[in-house]
Amino acid sequence: MGVDGREGESATARGTGAGRDEFDAGRSFPEAGERAATLDLPREELDALAAMFQGLATEYMRAPAAAPVFPETSAEQLAALLRRPLPEEGSGLEALAEECRAVVVNSRANNHPRMFGYVASPAAPVAVLAEWLAAALNQNVTSWRSAPAATEVERTVVRWLAELIGYAGRGVNENCGGLLTGGGSAANLAALFVALRARAGAEDDGGAGAISRRGLWGAGAAMTLYASEQVHLSVPKAADLLGIGREQMRLVKTDESFRLDVRALREMIEADRHAGLRPFCVVANAGTVSTGAVDPLEDVAGVAREHRLWLHVDGAYGAPAAAAPDKRGLFRGLELADSVALDPHKWLYAPLGVGCLLLREPARARAAFAGTGGDYIEVFERDEDEAFAFWDYGPELSRPFRALRVWAILRYYGARRVAAAVSEDCALAAHLAELVRATEDFELMAPVTLGICCFRYLPAGAQRQLESAPDDEAREQLNRGLDELNARLLHRLQRGGAAYLSNASLRGRFALRASVTNFRTSRRDLAFTLEAVRRAARAGED
Ligand SMILES: Cc1ncc(COP(=O)(O)O)c(C=O)c1O
C-alpha cells in the first residue's frame, strides 16, 4: 500500500525486461583535461570539507545546552558579520568554516532542552545524518522512474506514519495512502483542495470539472467549511488561497477545554444549508496549536457523515501523540477521517521541511491533481508501481527526498522508542502544570492535554485583586494589565537566552505557552524555566 493504495496487488509483470547497457564504472568524471570548469573536488579537499561540516554538526548535537537558547545578537550585528557582496572568488575552507561557525552560534537553539517556543523540536541525530545522504543523492522524487528507491521509501514511510497514529492497520483504512509535504500548512492546503473537488457535486451543478475549468465562479452556491475557533491559521489561509474565501470558513465555538462544540457545529451547518449554501468540509483539530486540545473526533465524524462533509483532521502538531499508549484514547475516531495532516518535523523529531498528508482514498487526490498535461514528463513504464508519479497526488513536480530522515528515525529507533519520547514530553507538560498550580505567582490558563502548558505570571497580590474586583470592568482592567506585563516579560525572557517560551491568546487573555516536543528536556529544565520567568518579571520592575 502506498499513495494509491496498491497493497495486495501482484508483483508480477514488473517492467524489468529491458536489456542493461554497458557502463564504464570505475572511471572518474571528468578525467584530467576533459573539462575546463568543474565543481568536483579532489579527494583530500572533499574529506577536509566533510570533516569540517561533520565536526560542526556533531559538536552542536553533542552539547545542546552549551549556548543560550537565543543568541546574544542583533540584526545589525548579523548583517555586519554575514552580509557580503557576491563573492567573485571562492573563500576556501578556513573562511567558510569560520562563517559556518558564526551561523551556528547566532542561531536560535531549537535543540536546547529549554526551547519551549512554538512547536520546535530538536532534530533526531540519525535524521540529521540521513539528511546529508539525501542531499548527496539529490533525488528528485517526482515519480518512480526519477527516484526508484526514494519513491519506495516515501510510500513506505507514509504507510508507517498511518499505522503509527492508528489511522491504518489490519482491517482499518487498508487502502489509505498519501504523500510527504513541506509541512502542515502545505498538507492542510492540499487536503482542502482534494475535499473541495471531491464534494463539488454534479457537473451541471458546478461540479469538480466545472470548477477546474472556470474556477469557483463555476461552483454555483458558495461552498462553506467548518473548524473550531482554535483552528491553525493555515486553514483559513488555505480557504483564501483556494478561492473559497475566509468568510466561508465558519469558526465554531469551543468548550471550556478548547474542544470544538459539536452541537454548535451541527447548528451552523444546518443554518447554512437552509440559507442555500453548500457545506463541504469540516476540519477537526487533533492537537490545537495554542493548547493542544483534541476535538471530539468521533462525534465530529458523525456530523460529517450525516451531512456528507469531507472530514479533515489537522494533526500537524498532535497526531504523533496517538502513538503514545496513554494518549491513544483521545484520538478515537481519527480513523474515520477522509484525510489527516501530521508533521514529522514537529513531534517526530525530523529536521524541518517534512509534513505528511494521509488520505483514506488516495484516488480522490488523483482525481483532483492528475491530468494537467505536460508532455515532457511522460512516463514510459507500464507496471503500475513503476508508472507511479507523486505529481498526480499533490501540487509539486520537483520534490526533495523528504522521506529518508523520517525513515531513518523510525527504522533506527523503532516506533516504540519514538512513542515513548512523545509520551514523556506529555508527562513533562503535565508536570509543569503541577508546578504552576503549586505556586501563588503563576496561574494555569488551560488544561494540559498533550505537550502544551499555558500559564501566566501573577505579581504579588494580583490573585487577591482579581478575586476581590468589584465588577467585570475592574477585573477586565486588571487582566489587561496582566496581559501587558506577561507580554513584556516574555520578550525579555526570549532575548535573555536562559529559556524560550512563546505565547497564546486564550479567550482574549495573553498566556505564556510552553510546548514540550523535546527529547532532551527534563523536570529540572521546567523548574529552571519558571525561575527564569520570575527573573524576567523582576527585571521589568527595576
Ligand atoms: C495544528 C497545526 N496545524 C498546522 C500547522 C502548520 O504547520 P507548518 O508550520 O509545518 O506549516 C501547525 C504549526 O504549528 C499546527 O500547530
Side-chain angles (χ1 to χ4, degrees):
M1 208 257 2
V3 80
D4 52 355
R6 68 208 158 105
E7 192 174 59
E9 130 211 340
S10 130
T12 56
R14 294 200 178 274
T16 51
R20 306 289 293 163
D21 288 334
E22 291 284 313
F23 57 102
D24 52 354
R27 208 189 113 204
S28 59
F29 290 90
E31 286 194 331
E34 276 186 329
R35 189 192 152 99
T38 176
L39 303 182
D40 246 330
L41 301 175
R43 172 147 195 177
E44 311 73 61
E45 205 175 328
L46 182 62
D47 287 350
L49 271 173
M52 185 273 280
F53 280 111
Q54 185 193 330
L56 285 177
T58 51
E59 195 182 316
Y60 180 75
M61 287 189 282
R62 267 201 305 263
V69 190
F70 197 85
E72 193 175 356
T73 189
S74 66
E76 198 183 349
Q77 282 171 304
L78 283 181
L81 200 60
L82 299 170
R83 202 176 291 172
R84 307 201 184 294
L86 171 70
E88 198 56 46
E89 301 300 334
S91 66
L93 188 137
E94 284 312 315
L96 179 63
E98 197 174 313
E99 286 178 17
C100 284
R101 235 171 266 125
V103 169
V104 173
V105 300
N106 287 292
S107 291
R108 193 187 67 192
N110 291 343
N111 68 341
H112 194 290
R114 290 190 294 280
M115 172 61 203
F116 301 113
Y118 318 104
V119 193
S121 56
V126 69
V128 173
L129 301 171
E131 271 288 273
W132 189 350
L133 176 59
L137 287 171
N138 200 26
Q139 294 291 283
N140 192 350
V141 195
T142 59
S143 57
W144 188 92
R145 68 114 157 80
S146 286
T151 296
E152 185 55 44
V153 169
E154 179 163 338
R155 296 176 80 181
T156 301
V157 158
V158 165
R159 174 72 193 184
W160 286 352
L161 293 175
E163 288 181 14
L164 182 76
I165 64 166
Y167 185 62
R170 196 187 292 266
V172 180
N173 293 337
E174 294 264 10
N175 296 322
C176 77
L179 75 175
L180 299 183
T181 63
S185 304
N188 283 339
L189 175 63
L192 290 195
F193 178 69
V194 177
L196 188 63
R197 294 301 167 86
R199 292 291 185 268
E203 184 72 4
D204 59 0
D205 188 24
I211 293 177
S212 177
R213 286 191 310 279
R214 301 207 303 271
L216 281 178
W217 287 277
M223 298 182 76
T224 52
L225 79 150
Y226 304 80
S228 93
E229 61 202 4
Q230 293 294 314
V231 71
H232 186 263
L233 61 93
S234 60
V235 177
K237 185 189 263 187
D240 191 348
L241 285 167
L242 293 170
I244 297 165
R246 285 176 188 260
E247 285 182 13
Q248 264 42 264
M249 156 109 241
R250 307 289 199 239
L251 296 181
V252 185
K253 68 178 178 169
T254 53
D255 64 16
E256 67 288 350
S257 301
F258 298 97
R259 291 156 35 109
L260 181 139
D261 179 330
V262 178
R263 184 205 288 239
L265 168 70
R266 185 178 277 114
E267 285 170 4
M268 271 175 139
I269 294 169
E270 284 166 2
D272 282 344
R273 278 237 145 97
H274 205 68
L277 304 177
R278 293 171 62 188
F280 78 98
C281 177
V282 55
V283 178
N285 292 300
T288 59
V289 67
S290 291
T291 69
V294 179
D295 289 337
L297 302 177
E298 213 165 20
D299 295 345
V300 177
V303 176
R305 196 170 43 238
E306 223 174 279
H307 289 279
R308 264 202 84 248
L309 305 194
W310 183 278
L311 172 59
H312 174 63
V313 171
D314 181 2
Y317 154 64
D326 52 330
K327 296 292 173 191
R328 196 163 293 150
L330 288 168
F331 295 85
R332 197 170 309 116
L334 177 71
E335 70 287 354
L336 302 172
D338 294 289
S339 54
V340 178
L342 83 147
D343 270 357
H345 72 195
K346 290 192 167 67
W347 217 353
L348 290 177
Y349 317 108
L352 274 157
V354 57
C356 177
L357 173 62
L358 299 172
L359 295 140
R360 186 146 44 130
E361 296 176 82
R364 299 286 193 174
R366 193 166 211 288
F369 284 109
T372 44
D375 293 347
Y376 86 101
I377 52 173
E378 189 165 346
V379 170
F380 297 101
E381 273 69 23
R382 289 292 161 254
D383 170 86
E384 198 180 328
D385 284 347
E386 293 181 6
F388 174 81
F390 282 108
W391 65 67
D392 283 337
Y393 295 88
E396 293 175 302
L397 180 57
S398 292
R399 303 169 73 249
F401 191 1
R402 299 181 174 109
L404 195 67
R405 57 195 112 159
V406 189
W407 165 278
I409 290 169
L410 291 170
R411 194 77 190 87
Y412 188 75
Y413 298 111
R416 202 195 319 264
R417 194 164 158 195
V418 173
V422 171
S423 188
E424 192 164 345
D425 287 342
C426 292
L428 285 167
H431 178 69
L432 179 58
E434 279 167 28
L435 295 180
V436 163
R437 268 200 220 97
T439 61
E440 295 219 325
D441 54 352
F442 289 112
E443 180 186 11
L444 194 64
M445 300 290 280
V448 173
T449 308
L450 302 178
I452 297 174
C453 178
C454 290
F455 60 100
R456 67 177 172 177
Y457 174 74
L458 299 175
Q463 185 64 41
R464 214 170 342 98
Q465 282 177 317
L466 279 170
E467 280 162 11
S468 59
D471 51 32
D472 285 351
E473 204 182 316
R475 200 167 303 112
E476 174 60 25
Q477 205 159 354
L478 286 167
N479 271 318
R480 236 179 280 135
L482 288 172
D483 289 346
E484 285 161 19
L485 167 71
N486 278 273
R488 278 197 309 274
L489 83 80
L490 177 65
H491 189 229
R492 223 172 287 128
L493 179 82
Q494 289 183 336
R495 296 303 290 264
Y500 198 103
L501 302 175
S502 55
N503 63 288
S505 173
L506 301 177
R507 313 235 187 272
R509 291 280 75 94
F510 188 95
L512 304 173
R513 175 182 168 282
S515 164
V516 189
T517 48
N518 191 331
F519 50 80
R520 295 196 169 104
T521 301
S522 68
R523 286 183 168 214
R524 194 153 48 99
D525 295 305
L526 302 176
F528 189 101
T529 297
L530 290 183
E531 263 316 306
V533 172
R534 287 187 178 107
R535 274 200 306 275
R538 282 199 296 269
E541 288 163 9
D542 298 343

